[in-house]
């Protein structure tokens, strides 16, 4: 992924105050919440090219988004399942 250009980059700050750029792969609605599938522009140590993170997206009253990483395997699996379903639907059109 390095050296490629992306239109939908999101910069998040880690717990260590390190800024990390992510590509917004998809946004999925599950149980009335919005989740974003994000992949670091530069893969983190130990990551494969096909791995990504799931974040819950919340929008405050001023329209600012906050991203909280999801650690619940059930939610992560369901978000990726829904994403894969959307990809299959697009391929079959």
């Amino acid at each position: 992924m390095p050296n490629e250009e992306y239109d939908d980059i999101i910069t998040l700050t880690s717990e260590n105050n390190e800024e990390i750029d992510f590509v917004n792969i998809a946004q999925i609605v599950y149980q009335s919440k919005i989740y974003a599938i994000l992949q670091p522009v530069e893969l983190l140590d130990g990551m494969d090219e096909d791995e990504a993170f799931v974040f819950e997206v919340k929008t405050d009253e001023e329209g600012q988004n906050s991203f909280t990483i999801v650690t619940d395997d059930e939610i992560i699996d369901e978000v990726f399942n829904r994403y894969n379903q959307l990809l299959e639907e697009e391929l079959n059109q």
Side-chain angles (χ1 to χ4, degrees):
M1 287 182 51
N3 300 326
E4 294 180 29
E5 290 187 30
Y6 299 97
D7 293 332
D8 206 2
I9 299 291
I10 296 172
T11 302
L12 300 180
T13 305
S14 74
E15 293 175 350
N16 302 329
N17 288 327
E18 176 185 359
E19 289 189 346
I20 303 171
D21 291 332
F22 290 88
V23 178
N24 186 6
I25 305 296
Q27 294 209 0
I28 305 293
V29 176
Y30 173 63
Q31 294 184 339
S32 301
K33 295 181 181 178
I34 298 173
Y35 295 93
I37 299 174
L38 304 179
Q39 186 177 46
V41 171
E42 293 185 22
L43 296 179
L44 304 176
D45 289 339
M47 280 189 77
D48 290 330
E49 287 185 24
D50 63 345
E51 289 183 291
F53 297 102
V54 175
F55 290 83
E56 182 179 350
V57 181
K58 293 182 181 176
T59 305
D60 66 17
E61 295 168 359
E62 297 171 1
Q64 296 294 319
N65 290 333
S66 65
F67 294 79
T68 305
I69 194 159
V70 176
T71 57
D72 183 320
D73 288 338
E74 184 177 320
I75 292 173
I76 293 168
D77 290 344
E78 189 58 36
V79 168
F80 278 111
N81 286 339
R82 289 173 185 249
Y83 173 67
N84 289 330
Q85 287 174 349
L86 290 173
L87 287 179
E88 285 181 34
E89 289 172 10
E90 283 185 24
L91 291 174
N92 291 328
Q93 289 184 358

